[in-house]
Amino acid sequence: MDIKFINRATKELVTERPPREDILRFLYGNPVGEALVLPIAKQKFISDWYGKKMDSPSSVSRIEPFVRSLNIDMSESEKQIDEFTSFNDFFYRKLKPGARKIEEGLVSPGDGKILVFKKVSEVNSFFVKGEKFTLGEFLEDEKLAEEYQDAAMVILRLAPNDYHRYHFPYQGIPSACHEIGKDYYSVSPISLEKKFTKVFTKNKREICRLKTAGKGDMLIIPVGATMVGSLNSTFTPESPIEKGEEMGYFAFGGSTIVLLFDANSFELDSDLVENTQNQFETAVRMGEKIASE
């Protein structure tokens, strides 16, 4: 499966192939894999077990080949390859101060590929075939879903080669995170194509309500995935934060961050809207503007 996305800076269409495509095809496209192996692969203990392996000192030997094969720019990292104590220490590495510019408006909470929807209901026309996605299932709270039924929705997908710390997209006062879900489906485009609704209504996720001045309350929802052993918040709840401040990090694996916000408070950037409508993700970096005030 070729993944096609838009390079926002050049507007070029880029093609890449997902890592471990053969395994993902077996789990999400083969009846035997789906019936016998996927029910085990999505369990928490599998991700916990692999996470511990990636925390071991011996895992440092995986770093250099990983960096080389995925062409990761280490000039942005605070530490260099020989300074990390484990693969996970590398994976959720911090960047040098100033490595990301925090732009005006609402900004991307992380590096990755983004999809934007002016209204939550538009998601079903993009991804879902058969089983319908509902906000009530995603939030596990019908009252909260009713509050955000007309909200704009942003989905940021992080691949294994991306910077895996996530940041606040706007200034405000964040609540403590409320944890829901328990499974760990992959967030690869292969699994999203086949299991979008299950990924977003079953995977472990955390809901943080960000109270803003004059822009309403925004929901920031990090979503775990296969081989992501934990979601790790690094902020202080109920204390004011500035746009671009670190919110947390994912351990090993790809993952996703979802934003829900008042569509009348922010106007999504037209290029992101157009690319999404054309069925393409757009590559963005943390701090890059995704909507105007």
Side-chain angles (χ1 to χ4, degrees):
M1 176 185 182
D2 288 335
I3 303 170
K4 297 182 185 295
F5 64 89
I6 303 296
N7 178 318
R8 196 178 192 189
T10 65
K11 298 182 171 51
E12 292 177 333
L13 184 63
V14 180
T15 301
E16 67 177 2
R17 298 189 72 85
R20 313 244 173 171
E21 180 181 8
D22 54 341
I23 296 175
L24 290 169
R25 283 290 182 199
F26 177 69
L27 291 176
Y28 294 94
N30 182 293
V32 175
E34 286 192 60
L36 299 181
V37 184
L38 183 58
I40 298 171
K42 69 183 179 67
Q43 296 297 313
K44 182 178 186 295
F45 78 90
I46 294 293
S47 290
D48 285 349
W49 168 77
Y50 202 77
K52 287 179 181 178
K53 285 190 65 175
M54 296 301 100
D55 281 332
S56 68
S58 62
S59 65
V60 295
S61 62
R62 297 171 179 259
I63 299 173
E64 197 277 333
F66 188 87
V67 170
R68 186 176 64 252
S69 65
L70 295 178
N71 196 29
I72 295 172
D73 182 5
M74 292 302 294
S75 69
E76 300 179 323
S77 175
E78 279 190 345
K79 293 182 181 179
Q80 292 308 297
I81 291 176
D82 59 356
E83 298 178 274
F84 294 108
T85 58
S86 68
F87 187 87
N88 257 338
D89 184 35
F90 151 75
F91 192 76
Y92 45 72
R93 62 196 175 277
K94 290 190 173 185
L95 300 182
K96 294 175 181 176
R100 294 288 184 277
K101 179 183 177 182
I102 308 302
E103 299 182 354
E104 298 297 320
L106 182 70
V107 302
S108 175
D111 290 4
K113 312 297 189 305
I114 200 169
L115 296 169
V116 303
F117 304 93
K118 292 183 177 181
K119 196 171 181 179
V120 172
S121 59
E122 295 175 1
V123 171
N124 280 296
S125 63
F126 186 95
F127 270 120
V128 184
K129 299 170 185 176
E131 190 175 1
K132 188 176 180 181
F133 170 83
T134 70
L135 201 53
E137 284 186 286
F138 176 58
L139 299 175
E140 291 190 6
D141 186 326
E142 292 298 337
K143 185 177 179 181
L144 188 60
E146 185 177 345
E147 182 181 347
Y148 284 88
Q149 64 181 345
D150 295 321
M153 187 177 193
V154 168
I155 301 173
L156 179 72
R157 177 180 63 84
L158 285 69
N161 57 308
D162 286 318
Y163 165 64
H164 264 69
R165 289 181 181 260
Y166 47 93
H167 299 246
F168 287 101
Y170 201 74
Q171 62 269 21
I173 300 176
S175 71
C177 289
H178 170 55
E179 185 178 299
I180 57 176
K182 64 178 182 179
D183 288 337
Y184 289 87
Y185 288 97
S186 168
V187 296
S188 162
I190 291 175
S191 58
L192 292 178
E193 181 184 32
K194 303 288 185 181
K195 302 283 186 183
F196 178 87
T197 298
K198 277 190 168 60
V199 168
F200 280 88
T201 61
K202 301 297 183 183
N203 275 20
K204 181 180 177 182
R205 51 206 186 278
E206 293 180 342
I207 301 176
C208 173
R209 184 187 286 261
L210 180 67
K211 297 179 180 178
T212 72
K215 298 293 183 181
D217 289 359
M218 179 182 303
L219 298 185
I220 307 172
I221 308 166
V223 182
T226 306
M227 301 308 172
V228 178
S230 59
L231 310 176
N232 303 274
S233 297
T234 57
F235 69 96
T236 302
E238 307 303 336
S239 295
I241 56 87
E242 293 299 321
K243 179 171 57 175
E245 280 190 32
E246 185 180 297
M247 181 178 177
Y249 62 89
F250 295 109
F252 180 69
S255 203
T256 302
I257 302 163
V258 175
L259 304 179
L260 291 167
F261 53 87
D262 181 3
N264 295 318
S265 295
F266 297 96
E267 182 178 356
L268 289 163
D269 285 359
S270 59
D271 64 321
L272 302 179
V273 173
E274 181 180 351
N275 292 344
T276 300
Q277 290 174 343
N278 289 331
Q279 303 280 303
F280 293 120
E281 297 174 307
T282 305
V284 295
R285 305 218 303 172
M286 189 281 288
E288 187 174 330
K289 184 175 79 69
I290 59 174
S292 301
E293 297 184 49

